[in-house]
Amino acid sequence: MDCGSAEVTERPDRTAQGYRRFRCRDCGKQFNERSAGLLNRAQYPSDVVALWRLRYRLTLRDLSEMFLTRGIIFSYEAVRGWEAKLAPILADELRCRRRGRSGAGRRHWHVDETYLKVRGRWCYLYRAIDRDGNLVDTMLSEHRDMAAAQAFFRSAKAATGITPERVTTDGHGSYPRAIRSTLGRRVAHRTSAYKNNGLEQDHRGAKGRIRCMRGFKSFASAERFCRSYDELRDFLRPCTRHNQPLPANRRRVLHLRRATTALAILKAA
């Protein structure tokens, strides 16, 4: 609370979204559980909308129309604002949670780049996964050169907290020197097209999600969305390795548990 007083009384009623309300006996101010956070004064389930925006193949107008049928009215521009405010918080927290996780498969990286359009121009989305299919890092760049490759490896090393033993790429000329200068000369560099097929298939998640959006209008929004989408997608991923069989009931339990955790991160921001 702004006044910092400990003389607080809980009110019997709650907000429209079910949050507890309080009143300060000293200054008379009223507040709720969302006060002093990013969701302060939010009248609508903006955390849920932001989560759905990242997770599902829905446009801004799709989300506003879906909630309109339930009597919750907001514009598509409100969805854009909620995404800009909440998505970086969620991505940063999920990024911190997976930092330092060890394992034999996490030291073998597969690196490649794909394309997406920003302001009518093609940009390069650098992505890397480990041997088990877990996310290593995502970075959007306007260029495909030595500087971009070095920046991506620095970002990936900072995100994971580890140095890989082996990196597999598609053979682009900037990778060998970037690996030596950023990760070290002891890191083995393997050039293979077919051994990166798992990463090529993994690109389909980001490409399929972006396709309904028809491109981005600014580089900052594209970078923010791609990073947040990949972080949430990896967090909600039920498998721990490629082609791992999981029964449907186990998938439901894992999804509900992790989606609840993601919403708790947004509410605590």
Side-chain angles (χ1 to χ4, degrees), residues 236-251:
L236 297 179
R237 179 174 179 257
C239 303
T240 57
R241 63 180 185 274
H242 281 300
N243 300 322
Q244 180 184 9
L246 279 179
N249 60 342
R250 178 61 177 167
R251 287 178 176 269

Side-chain angles (χ1 to χ4, degrees), residues 4 29-30 44 47 49 67 75 86 110 123 155 161 165-166 187 190 226 234 238 258 265:
K29 289 184 178 180
Q30 299 183 19
Y44 303 113
D47 47 352
V49 177
F67 279 85
S75 69
L86 298 176
H110 295 263
C123 292
S155 177
E165 297 175 354
R166 185 178 66 199
V187 178
R190 182 175 63 174
C226 292
D234 180 72
R258 294 173 183 177
I265 291 173

Side-chain angles (χ1 to χ4, degrees), residues 34-159:
R34 285 187 166 188
S35 298
L38 285 177
L39 299 178
N40 187 25
R41 302 183 184 277
Q43 301 178 11
Y44 303 113
S46 50
D47 47 352
V48 177
V49 177
L51 193 69
W52 287 13
R53 162 71 171 165
L54 294 175
R55 177 61 177 172
Y56 303 112
R57 299 178 183 179
L58 299 169
T59 64
L60 298 173
R61 288 178 172 82
D62 288 340
L63 283 166
S64 60
E65 290 176 3
M66 287 173 59
F67 279 85
L68 179 62
T69 60
R70 300 188 179 185
I72 302 176
I73 303 174
F74 53 81
S75 69
Y76 67 92
E77 288 295 342
V79 181
R80 194 194 309 275
W82 294 337
E83 176 202 325
K85 182 168 59 174
L86 298 176
I89 300 298
L90 180 62
D92 291 342
E93 177 62 26
L94 296 181
R95 188 182 178 94
C96 291
R97 286 177 178 238
R98 63 184 180 86
R99 176 180 169 82
R101 293 183 180 179
S102 59
R106 294 186 179 274
R107 295 190 176 274
H108 296 171
W109 293 359
H110 295 263
V111 180
D112 189 30
E113 63 281 335
T114 186
Y115 303 88
L116 60 90
K117 189 166 288 188
V118 180
R119 297 193 302 267
R121 297 179 57 184
W122 290 107
C123 292
Y124 302 90
L125 182 63
Y126 283 81
R127 300 183 69 250
I129 61 175
D130 62 20
R131 189 174 61 186
D132 297 326
N134 301 304
L135 177 68
V136 172
D137 200 14
T138 299
M139 189 194 79
L140 186 65
S141 174
E142 296 186 72
H143 307 283
R144 187 191 185 197
D145 53 13
M146 177 68 63
Q150 290 176 330
F152 175 70
F153 285 124
R154 285 193 298 267
S155 177
K157 188 175 179 180

